[in-house]
């Protein structure tokens, strides 16, 4: 054993220096040092045979780790850029002006952010698989800390990605709220001019304002144009939003509104259908809860029945016991003989006492 | 509710060019089919021409309705259906088909010239969406939820019945319990009291 120990530290160090010159740029050289240094102390303590095999293996694992570090840095850079774009989008979405809204830019930015998030997600999952595959090479105890470190880094990156995604979602919600608010304001401005025209036209119509407020109250379906598309099949859609579908109004403004309403119609109808599904699911949840309460109440009743039947069993068994004792007594002769002799003796005594 | 025709047009040029189309004319008699087919194509072409980019429209003509969706990059999809067909399903089908079409044929293939592209998805979609209840996912989910609700209502009824039966069971068991107790007492009385000869 003592003979085979060789000190190959110098060989190893020269290997490392050569490889680090090949692999790294100046930015990652410091990182390489950091990653390399934990593993160099364990090296001299190994026996010679192991040292030979792990020499070239070390070079490969060092290369892998720097590769990991590079990828992790690239991913965090992407995440930071995405965060910056998200902030710009948030700024744009917060603007509440009616006319200066820039839908094209917002849409582009949304699209770009979405793509970036998907790409980051993919690269994180690639990194994770890379870490897992890299772990197979590292079979020594000294590397477990590096394993943990890489896993922690991956988890951290994933956490950052989820933060960015959550922020993105919030910004989208803010944006949709603002769109709705601005749309209601435009409707108010436009409909006040056209409401008078509509009244004079004599159609059986509703002004969008009225339709808007009544859709908020969720009134039952009314399709004033008499076109029963999908009414019997879709009883849940509050179809006031479709009120403008087949208008034949002469006014220019009204035809503009017609166009807008047609375009919104698809989206709003989809919205109502999905809301209908949501409310149905809600009802189903309520029904399940009711079912559960009823069964729970009945459980008490069942327990009472259980207790009662046990009482019955106990009573009957003890009554049977008593009857058996009685029967045994009746069928035994002992007491009988005692009683018979007792009566005989009483009579005998009486006879003795009576007859002097 | 029937679908008659699905077509994808290129409407960046006037007249619009039909890139691919699928017709379902089995409901017409044999002699009418040709003319009806031509009418459908012409109707689709006209409507596609008159639809501005990134706009949805539904145009009514006799008893057919053409639902059109024109994308911003120059192609438009048209579905001709009867009046009862739900509009939302038609538009979501258009969305889907246009996306698939764009994925399969990149822009370069259809931006020039008059050509007929083979897109068998149109035929299969036409067949499948004849029954919009099953084909459209939202409607299917709604239908399944309704069925579940019916099943749950029946379940609640049966639970109520079970409750009543359990009530009668409880009454019977308590009566039995009292009776058996009295039985036990009587048996004890005959056993313990005066010893009769």
């Amino acid at each position: 054993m003592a003979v085979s120990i060789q000190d190959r530290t110098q060989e190893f160090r020269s290997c490392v220096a050569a490889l680090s010159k090949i692999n790294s740029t100046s930015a990652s050289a410091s990182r390489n040092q950091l990653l390399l240094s934990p593993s160099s102390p364990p090296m001299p303590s190994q026996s010679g045979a192991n040292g030979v095999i792990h020499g070239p293996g070390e070079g490969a694992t060092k290369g892998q780790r720097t590769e990991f570090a590079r990828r992790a840095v690239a991913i965090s850079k992407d995440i930071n850029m995405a965060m910056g774009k998200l902030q710009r989008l948030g700024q744009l979405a917060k603007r509440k002006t009616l006319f200066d809204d820039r839908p094209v830019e917002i849409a582009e930015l949304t699209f770009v952010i979405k793509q970036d998030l998907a790409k980051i997600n993919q690269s994180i999952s690639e990194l994770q698989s890379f870490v897992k595959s890299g772990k197979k090479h590292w079979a020594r105890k000294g590397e477990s800390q590096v394993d943990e470190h890489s896993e922690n880094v991956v988890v951290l990156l994933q956490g950052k990605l989820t933060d960015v995604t959550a922020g993105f979602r919030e910004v989208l919600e803010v944006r949709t709220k603002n769109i709705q608010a601005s749309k209601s304001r435009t409707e108010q401005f436009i409909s006040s001019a056209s409401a008078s025209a509509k009244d004079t036209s004599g159609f059986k119509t509703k002004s969008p304002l009225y339709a808007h407020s009544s859709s908020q109250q969720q009134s039952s379906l009314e399709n004033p144009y008499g076109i029963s598309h999908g009414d019997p099949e879709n009883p849940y859609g509050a179809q006031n939003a479709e009120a403008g579908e087949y208008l034949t109004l002469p006014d220019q403004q009204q035809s503009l509104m017609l166009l807008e309403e047609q375009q919104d119609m698809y989206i709003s109808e989809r919205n109502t259908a999905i809301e209908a599904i949501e409310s149905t699911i809600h009802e189903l949840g309520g029904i399940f809860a009711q079912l559960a309460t009823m069964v729970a109440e009945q459980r008490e009743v069942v327990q009472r029945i259980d207790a009662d039947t046990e009482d019955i069993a106990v009573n009957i068994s003890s009554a049977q016991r008593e009857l058996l004792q009685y029967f045994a007594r009746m069928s035994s002769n002992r007491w009988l003989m005692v009683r018979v002799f007792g009566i005989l003796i009483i009579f005998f005594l009486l006879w003795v006492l009576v007859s002097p | 509710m029937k679908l008659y025709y699905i077509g994808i047009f290129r409407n960046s040029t006037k007249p619009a060019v039909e890139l691919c189309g699928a017709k379902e004319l089995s409901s017409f008699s044999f002699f009418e089919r040709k003319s009806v087919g031509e009418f459908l194509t012409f109707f689709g072409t006209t409507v596609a021409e008159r639809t501005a980019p990134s706009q949805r429209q539904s145009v009514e003509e006799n008893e057919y309705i053409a639902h059109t969706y024109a994308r911003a990059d120059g192609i438009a999809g048209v579905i001709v259906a009867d009046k009862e067909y739900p509009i939302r399903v038609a538009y979501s089908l258009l969305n889907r088909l246009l996306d698939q079409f764009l994925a399969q044929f990149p822009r370069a293939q259809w931006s020039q010239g008059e050509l007929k592209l083979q897109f068998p998805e149109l035929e299969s979609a036409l067949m499948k969406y004849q029954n919009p209840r099953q084909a459209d996912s939202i409607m299917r989910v709604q239908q399944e939820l309704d069925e579940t609700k019916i099943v749950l209502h029946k379940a609640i009824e049966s639970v109520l019945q079970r409750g009543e039966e359990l009530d009668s069971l409880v009454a019977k068991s308590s009566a039995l319990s009292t009776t058996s107790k009295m039985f036990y007492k009587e048996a004890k009385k005959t056993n313990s009291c005066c010893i009769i000869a």
Side-chain angles (χ1 to χ4, degrees), chain A residues 144-347:
Chain A
S144 62
Q145 282 184 349
V146 184
D147 283 352
E148 281 182 34
H149 166 72
S150 3
E151 279 183 11
N152 287 344
V153 164
V154 170
V155 166
L156 189 69
L157 289 174
Q158 279 173 344
K160 277 196 197 163
L161 178 66
T162 34
D163 287 341
V164 172
T165 323
F168 185 49
R169 202 177 311 139
E170 278 176 17
V171 164
L172 283 180
E173 281 173 9
V174 165
R175 166 98 183 119
T176 38
K177 262 191 250 166
N178 285 348
I179 285 185
Q180 279 177 1
S182 67
K183 200 174 284 296
S184 64
R185 279 202 297 274
T186 20
E187 275 181 2
Q188 281 180 12
F189 290 147
I190 294 184
S191 70
S192 58
S194 67
S196 52
K198 273 194 175 178
D199 288 339
T200 57
S201 68
F203 286 110
K204 222 177 57 171
T205 67
K206 296 178 182 181
S207 68
L209 199 53
Y210 181 58
H212 189 68
S213 60
S214 65
S215 71
Q216 282 173 353
Q217 298 165 13
Q218 279 200 347
S219 58
S220 57
L221 333 158
E222 282 172 80
N223 201 338
Y225 301 100
I227 296 174
S228 60
H229 50 264
D231 270 0
E233 287 103 26
N234 197 357
Y236 306 96
Q239 298 191 346
N240 296 316
E242 303 176 52
E245 208 219 339
Y246 296 135
L247 283 176
T248 53
L249 295 172
D251 205 12
Q252 169 81 355
Q253 248 177 356
Q254 287 166 352
S255 61
L256 258 180
M257 214 166 34
L258 154 69
L259 216 56
E260 262 184 42
E261 286 181 3
Q262 269 191 1
Q263 293 194 24
D264 300 339
M265 180 194 68
Y266 166 62
I267 300 175
S268 55
E269 188 184 350
R270 207 176 157 86
N271 198 16
T272 41
I274 293 185
E275 276 173 12
I277 288 185
E278 188 187 336
S279 63
T280 321
I281 295 183
H282 201 62
E283 278 177 34
L284 280 180
I287 292 182
F288 271 116
Q290 276 184 5
L291 206 59
T293 6
M294 282 166 65
V295 172
E297 282 174 8
Q298 290 177 355
R299 181 183 37 192
E300 283 183 32
V301 174
V302 167
Q303 281 173 348
R304 239 171 64 189
I305 293 179
D306 236 354
D308 269 344
T309 30
E310 283 196 22
D311 280 345
I312 290 173
V314 162
N315 281 342
I316 301 258
S317 56
S318 27
Q320 193 207 17
R321 203 169 18 111
E322 304 283 340
L323 284 180
L324 272 179
Q325 283 178 6
Y326 185 63
F327 176 66
R329 231 177 39 193
M330 284 299 126
S331 49
S332 79
N333 291 331
R334 207 190 312 157
W335 274 103
L336 225 67
M337 283 189 278
V338 164
R339 269 204 300 277
V340 165
F341 275 125
I343 292 178
L344 276 176
I345 290 176
I346 290 176
F347 270 122

Side-chain angles (χ1 to χ4, degrees), chain B residues 21-129:
Chain B
K23 300 190 186 86
E24 212 268 294
L25 302 170
S26 53
S27 53
F28 303 103
S29 75
F30 182 69
F31 300 105
E32 288 179 5
R33 277 182 202 175
K34 187 157 174 296
S35 56
V36 169
E38 285 175 3
F39 162 69
L40 287 176
T41 319
F42 170 68
F43 189 25
T45 326
T46 325
V47 170
E49 273 178 7
R50 308 240 173 109
T51 311
S54 52
Q55 190 194 344
R56 293 188 173 90
Q57 258 189 9
S58 297
V59 178
E60 186 187 341
E61 158 84 41
N62 292 343
E63 31 164 274
Y64 307 116
I65 298 187
H67 306 285
T68 325
Y69 172 46
R71 286 172 68 114
D73 44 6
I75 57 168
V78 178
I79 289 186
V80 177
D82 62 356
K83 286 192 186 176
E84 299 175 337
Y85 201 80
I87 305 179
R88 190 181 47 74
V89 176
Y91 282 127
S92 64
L93 176 61
L94 273 176
N95 271 346
R96 230 165 41 94
L97 284 176
L98 283 176
D99 285 336
Q100 278 175 346
F101 181 77
L102 278 177
Q104 198 172 342
F105 301 110
R107 202 200 152 89
Q109 284 191 12
W110 45 263
S111 53
Q112 303 299 327
E114 301 235 352
L115 30 80
K116 289 278 172 199
L117 298 166
Q118 288 303 315
F119 194 41
E121 294 278 344
L122 282 187
E123 289 279 352
S124 53
L126 193 55
M127 288 299 125
K128 192 164 140 216
Y129 273 75

Side-chain angles (χ1 to χ4, degrees), chain A residues 45-63:
Chain A
S45 58
Q46 303 239 343
S47 65
N50 286 340
V52 172
I53 297 176
H54 284 189
E58 273 294 328
T61 53
K62 295 295 180 296

